[in-house]
Amino acid sequence: MSAVKKQTEDLVNVQVDGHWIQVKKGTRMIEACKQASAEVPHYCYHPKLTSPGNCRMCLVEMGMPPRPAPGQEAELDNDGHAKISWMPRPVIACANSVAEGMGIRTQSTLAKECREGVMEFLLINHPLDCPICDQAGECTLQEYSVEHGKGESRFLENKVKKPKNVDIGPRIRLDDERCVLCSRCVRFTREIVDDDVLGFVDRGSHSVLTVHPDKPLANNYSLNTVDICPVGALTSNDFRFKMRVWFMRETKSVCNGCARGCNILISSRENKIYRQTPRENNEVNSSWMCDSGRLNYHFLESGARLTDPMIKKGKSHETVDWPQAIRRAAEGLLKYKGDEIAIIASARMTNEELYLVRVLADTLGTRNVDTLKCHGEGDDYLSHEDKRPNTNGAKVILKLSSPGSKINSIKRDIESGSIKALLVYGENIASKGFDDGVLSNLKFLVTSHILANPTAKLSGIVLPGAGYAEKRGSMINATGRLQLLNKAIEPPGNSRDDWEILQDLNRAMDGKDFIYELADLFSEMASVVPALKGLTLSGIGEKGVPVIETGETIPLLEREAQRVKQGLIAG
Amino acid sequence: MAVPKYIKGKEPHKSEYRMIFRNVDRRGWDASIKSYIADGGYKDLKKALKMKSQEVTDEVKTSGLRGRGGAGFPTGVKWGFIPPDNKKPVYLICNSDESEPGTFKDRYIVHQDPHQLIEGMLISCYAVGAKVAYIYIREEFSEGAKILENAIEEARKKNFLGKKILGGKFNCEIFIHRGAGAYICGEETGLIESLEGKRPYPRIKPPYFPAALGLYMCPTIVNNVESLCHVKHIIAMGGQKYAKIGTPRNTGTRILCVSGDVVRPGYFEVEVGKITMGELINDVCGGLRKGRKLKGVIPGGSSAKVLRAGEKYTIGTGESERTIGINDIPMDFDTLAACGSMAGSGGVIVMDDSRDMAWILNNINTFYAHESCGQCTPCREGSLWMKKITDRMVSGAGVPSDLKTLTSVGDNIAGRTICAFGEACAWPTQSFVAKFPEDFKKHTSRRNAGKELNPESKAAAAGLKR
Amino acid sequence: MEVSRELNKQANEYISHYPNDQKRSASLPLLHLLQQEHGYINEESMNWVAEKLDIEPIHVLELGTFYPGFRQTAPGKYHIRVCRTLSCAMAGCYETMEKFCEVAGIDRSRVTHHNPIAVSEDGKFSIEFAECLASCGTGPVCLIGDEFYESVNAENVAELIEKYD
Ligand SMILES: Cc1cc2nc3c(=O)[nH]c(=O)nc-3n(C[C@H](O)[C@H](O)[C@H](O)COP(=O)(O)O)c2cc1C
Ligand code: SF4
Ligand code: SF4
Ligand code: SF4
Ligand code: FES
Ligand code: FES
């Protein structure tokens, strides 16, 4: 006899497959089951979207203790809980909430029959072309059909024909024969991004998902529908047919498209990225990300990638090895003193890299340190107007109260000749006002880039850098959250992790001991940067930690919180 | 009130109790407000407006009125589900979709006695606190929609409708909303979505019980045309007196619509439970055609499970338990439910021994496959599958496993869908196959492949010509 | 698309039947208006409704394709709808349909789920099956335009068609 826990103000007792657990009041049955490690198969349910209850995959058996007759005590079971009387009809677990004393059976004969029935229904008109379907390997239909489907088909009829390979937007194609009509995509576009362009036409078994010919699915969040589509009906043009999912390695990281810092999974194989998908973080991006951020990885495999350090000889650059490049860079900078030197860093750099820039600036004794301010269009969802992922990192580490505010004076001082040497890290300043006319005043220019660009062309020394997916490090996003980037692929050629390059440069000047682990570098940084006090690199974890108060809120998350409160979504 | 006389050839049968259909086929009667008022119309509205709205609801509760749209749910109880602390507008919707095959009663009220409906609606609006009501009328009743529009204008002119009705504080508007040919718009939450201008996808219940979260997420009462007309008569005579009509728990009158293989099909208003299936078919409808025997009856619209002639049913409990045959079934909600079927919408479809039940079921399956809204998996896929199977069977390509498959497809739909359409489409298949297996087996034998298995169907149709 | 002032006025009247923030409710009434005007619902009509009601055009397309009461192709001058459902079928509606086609010169061989309407060569008549028209006791029944006919059987079809000649 297990002890009966009392019902508290916000907890209720629920029996799942014979075991009693306590869950928060108002919890959806499906979530309660999950908490009891009884995963209920489902298609249409998504915790961030309303529940239409249309797929019927989550049918379970449910029971409640009968209300005792007046003056009578509730009849108790062996375990001390009120006896449950089971309802003859199954109920959907996705849209119904738990109540005190409720019983749920996810593995009873009835529940299993229901699931098998739904699976069979979904499969009779399904093309079953998994061998050529991108979803294979992560398709819930395929997965469940192995677990819950009938082995052989007793469907002797012709399947319903539906449109295939429909162009529904610039980035997405639709195969209506694969669609299980769960309406997740429709609800996403309607409820999350207010772009209600998807709909169903025709009716009954002939229903198909579509867009109006004049109004495609083109919003900057459209690819999230591909993620939440439980089958291979919606496919990303970017990813289609490129790679089977089971071959790919997933790396947890953070998008570098803007200051939001959406949490992502980078999927790669043999040093090549095939796609990026959002990773749930309810403090940052919920379960979503924008298309521009998602697709912003192709530059990493651009033909313009710099793969070796280079030194300018006359009009052209020639390849050198790292020790030579570092030595020449150090020598070049050390020729000048204090404010004769300027450093333009980038808010694309990790905290660790920025910290090494700070150390460098201290060694050189210059106060001319800044990053570029780079604002663009943001929106009311996730995309931030600050197009640099680590502006807040630059603020706290380089002690910049307003990044970008010194850029004009640096430019002026270059033009006047008082700044003689410039180190640029990761910004193509030649296209940001520092053209040939400005930069030709310098005596020494060393820059680091990922791609060959006009700034590199003008530089005496060019150091090839690593992209965000090619390195590890931390960043602080727009809402002040410290998050972790992880390395998904190796940088190409002889390019290296930037913190190592920067450290080499520092050590070439200050001669101090090398740090061999990024974690140690982080700890050193944390000991001098107040916002990071007491933190360790491994302590950041997968979901990040808040480190500074920015006063910013995330509109999309606020709306989701509101919907949770109203009981419209589970959250 | 004058005792009505009826058009020759359309007189009510002597076992009828004409209340709702008092003016249907009435001689000298038309749909105008003049006719209606001359016959005492709108007096019951005046009477209701003098009562407290709660008192009106209480009378309806006392009357025991059960919905005539299909489910037979007590009307007064439904009205009581509006949350007591409600601050939102309340809506009343008259369900005039009349789309359950075999049902043809609301049609006559709408076309011949629109003011009875309007009066019933106004009283109901007053009771539930609705200031706006909609009549959702099926598109195919285009003439009926015009008649109702006209009637509303007539009523407005007389201040039975609009602002400060009859000089009091009650304001109420009624609007007509036409459907566009979809059976699912008869299902109340599908209807509500349709009225909101969306695809008529029924809503999940819970949480979307119309009385709390209905039209525009406001409390909404949906009632059938006939149910709303009854309200007028309940107010006229009082709930208690009304409850004496019919039988206990099955009070009042209801209109039974008989079609199929009887000599005199038609509509008949009878006291609920006071007439048996046998009396209905044999006396009221003149029996079967010459030389024909009863094979089966669908008692409550095509969704109701079929009853087979010769079956025995055990009804009642304890002392009053008894076994009866199909002809002895009193036509009321509870007995038909006890017999494994339902009174449903009152549509009685009679089949004689010339009929091939596989052919009949195929026709029904075609209807449901065409009408499934397609929202939820079992119904969307299952309804078409069942149709495809019976299609194949009647075209001579049946296989022995078809019976089993049909039944299990039905089993996998019923009770597992968003709305009661699931049962509606599964019950015919489940019951026809279970009760007439021989008719289906015939279609699975190779010997019969390609043969016209229903040689009598054309002849049967010829025999029905009137 | 231009609509007549009269139609626009009627549309506004329908819109006024619903709460101000629920204009979308007028979708069906407006589609009916346009079908009355053009005989069927084409893409332009749907777009007009979407614009008038300030909703996404996909939502009108969703309705136009759901309801068989909205025709997606042009019917003949007289559009016939024959009830197909059980009681009428028992009373011979399939034969009625055949006869209609024969008399009006309509070929239904190309009728499919997506294309339910067949039109006579001269464009005068078109025909389709409808589901139960709620007059099962007097089947077979049919609608020609908005007019309703009972007990329409193979014998009296020709006579009925003549009325429309
Ligand atoms: C598939 C389906 C179709 C229905 N069709 C109708 C109909 O045509 N007319 C009707 O009054 N009720 C119909 N109903 C019942 C309604 O949902 C609802 O119960 C009824 O209108 C309530 O009115 P009542 O309580 O007065 O019967 C249908 C129900 C289902 C599940
Ligand atoms: S496309 Fe995918 S997400 Fe959208 S309804 Fe179909 S199965 Fe669901
Ligand atoms: S919103 Fe910003 S961080 Fe998020 S995916 Fe888009 S670009 Fe990346
Ligand atoms: S049961 Fe059928 S009609 Fe009802 S919601 Fe589901 S698919 Fe639609
Ligand atoms: S998950 Fe689809 S009905 Fe519950
Ligand atoms: S079956 Fe034809 S009108 Fe009902």
Side-chain angles (χ1 to χ4, degrees), chain B residues 56 79 92 119-130 223 227-228 231:
Chain B
V56 178
W79 292 3
L92 180 104
E119 185 173 11
M121 282 180 73
L122 287 165
I123 297 170
S124 306
C125 281
Y126 176 71
V128 302
N223 275 126
S227 313
L228 290 166
V231 170

Side-chain angles (χ1 to χ4, degrees), chain A residues 174 178-186 200 209 225 228-231 233-234:
Chain A
L174 162 68
R178 290 184 189 148
C179 170
V180 295
L181 299 156
C182 71
S183 83
R184 276 185 177 189
C185 55
V186 179
F200 294 115
L209 176 78
T225 60
I228 59 177
C229 177
V231 291
L234 295 173

